[in-house]
Amino acid sequence: MIYIVSLLNDYLEENMRQSILFIPTLKEVPSDAVAKSHQLMLRGGYIRQVTAGVYAYLPLAYLVLRKAEKIIEEEMENINVPEMIMPHFLPATLWEESGRLPKYGPEMFRLKDRHGRESLLGPTHEETFTEIIGKNIKSYKQMPIALYQIQTKFRDENRPRFGLLRGREFVMLDGYSFAATREQLDKQFDDQKHAYKKIFKRCGVEVYPVIANSGTMGGKNSTEFQAPAAIGEDVIATNETGTYSANLEMARSIDTFSPEKEELKPLEKIATPDCATIEQLSEFLHVPNTRIVKSILYIVDDKKVLVLIRGDKQVNEVKLQNALDADSEPRVATNEELLSIVKATKGGVGPVKAAYADYIIADETVKGLYNVVVGANESDYQYINANIDRDFKVNEFADLRTANAGEPDPVDHLPLKFTTSIEVGHIFKLGTYYTNSMNAKFLDQNGKTQPIIMGSYGIGVTRMLSAIVEQHSTDNGIFWPKEVAPFEIHIIQMNMKNDEQTVVSKKLEEIFSDKYDVLYDDRNERPGVKFNDADLIGAPIRIIVGRRVSEQIVEVKKSTVQESVEMSLDSLTEYISKELR
Ligand code: 9G3
């Protein structure tokens, strides 16, 4: 009789049995996978590469992706931001209108339609939302408003790598806000920031919201959400109280060196043969590197910019580009350029009589120095006792230096700690770049025509899945946070020929499947195989139905601990509801 009941149950239950799920686990790690999350998602049968940077999401990954998207949808609904979706296939004319087409050359997937019309696959959607939404807003009464999509993006990365961390086709949450005033944008930005923190918390990703570079179109300030992970390509600087966190590109630190006041000494030109580095120069002249001012010639937007910085600091080129408000990234002049422009090698470049320089910008550490060593604009010659204003001019002082670990943060003056991390989100106060260039205007309450004020917000959803695995795994298994785990309860039957174990396994499946996502491993596999696969599937709770089931005892194992505990069947329900709800 019991057997017929369990057959009936089979028929009635639409549960996932592991024997029908497609989970092609691998014993070996493919050699080209170096990131832990990439290895685990390949070994666990979550993803398969179709071509470089392009992946198939097999059932396990798809279940996780759908749960993450559901969390996003719930949190966007909580801040009254409706979901929509834009086409993937876009006319290039939109990007001509915004002026961005030439900027993103090789990274943009371009194609022609049958009539030869220039088209592209969307890498992001500022233009599309400005066109389709922005241009349909005519009055301040229609704002503030924001919309979002969860959509596949296409970017022809030069070096796709680390599995879903840097792909050429990936899922992004991207949202855009439209406002009549800065105050409305500030509120929208804060709402999004708050919602993002909740999304990451529910998805189980530890993130730091950090001060980030906005780039040329990104408006003035932006916040990145950085997930600490060894494989991360970014570095963030944080202090131990959490009152300061910034992408290293933007991080500031207090300069602890304070030069004493000195009498100005006479400028003197010195031969300094074979001093190619600051250290060699410092040794040769018996001066500390804080008395040497490095002069580096940069080519920025086709201009010759001489950058000065104290000998113990390094130039931060993101800060330099922002200080110069330059369109293109600054690049250091080549040796050939130096020989033709300065008629000196790298070590000989300096600010004294540097008529070739279109602009001289100095890091703040140069201000207040006396009697410094600078290149003489002649190979193997330096000036000593050079002084600002008397011997050379500086057009502008700015913070151009890269912060160093241990230096005091600018808020609480606590030592900066560096962490490698993965950028999983980025939110921008865009301003009016797109609405000006694409003419999306509105009538304000005074009847005056104004450009709409925009914000843009994004999460790399498939990248986030990898970040979750990077933060919740060991080399032999994943322990998914419960809200995104592909299954919450994994029932593993030790002996498929043992009817008693079969009856209890199916009973447990039936009991728990209406409240939880249950996976029953009903395969005819050895226990070792089942356990290794279970480690890769990473369900928060594992119930092992084995020999002691005749005494109403099963084993329960949490994915975050090694050992399992024996438990009577009737205490399971309470234990599980405590663990999972
Ligand atoms: C492109 C290509 C690659 C790009 C972009 C455009 C990055 C581009 C920045 C953003 C800004 C925000 C909305 C969601 C949050 C991020 N790579 N960015 O604009 F054409 Cl090929 O995407 N967009």
Side-chain angles (χ1 to χ4, degrees):
M1 180 55 188
I2 284 179
Y3 195 56
I4 292 168
V5 164
S6 75
L7 272 182
L8 186 66
N9 267 338
D10 281 5
Y11 181 72
L12 293 178
E13 289 304 328
E14 80 292 355
N15 275 306
M16 275 304 133
R17 297 283 170 82
Q18 202 158 334
S19 56
I20 63 150
L21 261 184
F22 183 65
I23 306 179
T25 53
L26 303 171
K27 290 224 172 351
E28 294 310 309
V29 169
S31 58
D32 68 332
V34 292
K36 184 175 62 166
S37 54
H38 189 192
Q39 295 172 350
L40 287 166
M41 291 172 98
L42 287 172
R43 280 184 46 216
Y46 287 81
I47 59 175
R48 281 295 182 272
Q49 178 175 304
V50 178
T51 183
V54 179
Y55 288 88
Y57 297 89
L58 304 181
L60 284 180
Y62 194 56
L63 284 163
V64 176
L65 182 57
R66 287 246 299 269
K67 289 192 172 183
E69 291 178 351
K70 192 166 176 313
I71 288 169
I72 289 169
E73 286 163 351
E74 288 166 2
E75 295 308 332
M76 283 294 115
E77 189 164 352
N78 286 345
I79 58 168
N80 301 318
V81 175
E83 185 169 12
M84 62 174 285
I85 191 146
M86 288 291 188
H88 298 82
F89 175 85
L90 303 168
T93 46
L94 281 184
W95 287 67
E96 285 157 2
E97 210 184 332
S98 72
R100 289 219 290 179
L101 194 57
K103 179 168 159 40
Y104 285 98
E107 210 177 317
M108 182 87 81
F109 276 109
R110 308 283 299 271
L111 68 161
K112 281 189 174 27
D113 68 13
R114 63 187 301 170
H115 305 294
R117 283 185 286 241
E118 284 291 339
S119 314
L120 58 93
L121 296 179
T124 179
H125 281 257
E126 281 78 5
E127 285 78 0
T128 332
F129 276 81
T130 303
E131 177 72 19
I132 303 300
I133 310 298
K135 287 193 174 172
N136 285 284
I137 293 169
K138 294 294 167 217
S139 157
Y140 71 97
K141 293 175 187 151
Q142 296 168 269
M143 290 182 281
I145 188 166
L147 296 126
Y148 80 95
Q149 63 181 349
I150 302 176
Q151 190 217 39
T152 297
K153 300 293 186 286
F154 302 86
R155 294 179 185 177
D156 201 356
E157 291 285 346
N158 185 24
R159 281 186 60 220
R161 58 186 175 282
F162 307 154
L164 305 185
L165 282 178
R166 182 171 289 275
R168 295 195 294 165
E169 178 181 314
F170 56 93
V171 177
M172 187 200 271
L173 147 62
D174 51 318
Y176 304 82
S177 61
F178 303 85
T181 65
R182 283 294 306 197
E183 293 71 32
Q184 286 179 355
L185 169 61
D186 292 347
K187 168 82 168 59
Q188 290 170 315
F189 187 86
D190 290 344
D191 287 352
Q192 296 274 347
K193 192 173 196 174
H194 182 69
Y196 276 38
K197 284 179 180 174
K198 285 178 70 179
I199 289 166
F200 292 123
K201 182 161 176 49
R202 291 181 60 189
C203 290
V205 190
E206 182 204 357
V207 294
Y208 284 92
V210 305
I211 297 164
N213 181 28
S214 300
T216 38
M217 323 291 187
K220 274 295 151 264
N221 44 12
S222 69
T223 297
E224 276 171 352
F225 292 87
Q226 290 279 358
I231 197 70
E233 295 178 351
D234 285 342
V235 175
I236 57 175
T238 58
N239 67 7
E240 65 220 18
T241 52
T243 56
Y244 184 75
S245 53
N247 188 309
L248 185 55
E249 292 175 341
M250 303 292 282
R252 292 174 175 269
S253 64
I254 303 295
D255 178 26
T256 49
F257 177 79
S258 49
E260 301 97 40
K261 206 164 163 45
E262 292 173 7
E263 283 305 307
L264 303 194
K265 294 177 194 151
L267 188 69
E268 208 182 320
K269 191 169 163 182
I270 306 266
T272 56
D274 311 325
C275 291
T277 67
I278 295 298
E279 290 67 35
Q280 288 165 332
L281 200 53
S282 161
E283 221 157 276
F284 182 85
L285 295 171
H286 307 298
V287 295
N289 60 14
T290 49
R291 186 171 291 280
I292 298 172
V293 169
K294 286 189 283 193
S295 306
I296 305 153
L297 186 62
Y298 276 88
I299 310 296
V300 193
D301 290 348
D302 300 329
K303 281 210 277 302
K304 300 182 213 50
V305 177
L306 196 56
V307 179
L308 311 183
I309 193 164
R310 205 174 63 207
D312 59 326
K313 299 293 177 186
Q314 300 303 324
V315 174
N316 175 326
E317 294 180 349
V318 169
K319 289 184 180 180
L320 177 63
Q321 180 172 358
N322 289 339
L324 297 170
D325 202 13
D327 283 339
S328 61
E329 290 173 11
R331 71 171 174 81
V332 178
T334 62
N335 290 337
E336 294 71 37
E337 285 168 324
L338 286 180
L339 287 178
S340 72
I341 296 167
V342 186
K343 312 221 179 348
T345 54
K346 192 166 58 156
V349 175
V352 179
K353 294 196 279 298
Y356 55 82
D358 299 316
Y359 198 69
I360 300 182
I361 186 169
D363 176 66
E364 294 151 345
T365 52
V366 172
K367 200 186 287 181
L369 292 181
Y370 298 92
N371 304 316
V372 294
V373 176
V374 290
N377 286 320
E378 192 179 332
S379 299
D380 297 332
Y381 277 88
Q382 303 283 320
Y383 281 115
I384 61 169
N385 305 327
N387 287 281
I388 301 175
D389 293 335
R390 187 190 73 179
D391 307 315
F392 62 94
K393 291 279 174 279
V394 170
N395 297 102
E396 179 185 354
F397 286 98
D399 173 356
L400 303 175
R401 62 188 177 280
T402 298
N404 297 299
E407 290 175 348
D409 78 78
V411 173
D412 288 340
H413 298 200
L414 295 169
L416 284 174
K417 196 165 58 72
F418 284 9
T419 313
T420 51
S421 59
I422 302 166
E423 176 193 340
V424 289
H426 200 164
I427 59 179
F428 299 74
K429 291 183 180 175
L430 279 183
T432 55
Y433 174 82
Y434 295 92
T435 50
N436 268 329
S437 57
M438 299 177 71
N439 199 24
K441 306 248 192 285
F442 73 99
L443 272 183
D444 69 12
Q445 60 266 51
N446 308 322
K448 197 162 169 301
T449 301
Q450 303 275 18
I452 294 171
I453 302 169
M454 284 179 70
S456 79
Y457 315 88
I459 290 180
V461 183
T462 41
R463 173 182 283 186
M464 181 179 71
L465 301 194
S466 286
I468 295 169
V469 176
E470 288 291 335
Q471 292 184 349
H472 298 273
S473 64
T474 62
D475 280 341
N476 56 31
I478 302 172
F479 35 98
W480 289 103
K482 60 187 181 193
E483 277 209 68
V484 294
F487 294 95
E488 294 169 290
I489 299 173
H490 197 174
I491 299 169
I492 297 183
Q493 181 174 339
M494 297 295 276
N495 175 352
M496 296 313 291
K497 294 183 179 49
N498 179 311
D499 285 349
E500 199 176 12
Q501 290 185 21
T502 302
V503 166
V504 170
S505 298
K506 288 182 178 172
K507 189 78 191 130
L508 291 175
E509 181 190 42
E510 188 208 337
I511 290 168
F512 289 117
S513 56
D514 58 354
K515 273 179 71 181
Y516 305 101
D517 296 328
V518 178
L519 177 65
Y520 168 24
D521 188 350
D522 60 341
R523 298 171 300 160
N524 272 315
E525 291 284 357
R526 284 178 291 99
V529 168
K530 292 198 169 192
F531 289 140
N532 287 339
D533 290 356
D535 287 341
L536 293 166
I537 292 168
I541 299 286
R542 184 184 307 177
I543 301 176
I544 300 136
V545 180
R547 249 192 306 282
R548 298 201 62 186
V549 73
S550 49
E551 306 157 61
Q552 308 297 306
I553 301 273
V554 291
E555 281 179 60
V556 179
K557 181 185 158 333
K558 286 164 56 172
S559 60
T560 47
V561 296
Q562 277 310 316
E563 60 290 334
S564 55
V565 295
E566 293 195 327
M567 196 173 292
S568 66
L569 284 178
D570 51 25
S571 52
L572 258 185
T573 309
E574 195 207 336
Y575 173 82
I576 284 178
S577 66
K578 208 159 44 49
E579 282 304 316
L580 292 180
R581 287 295 177 264

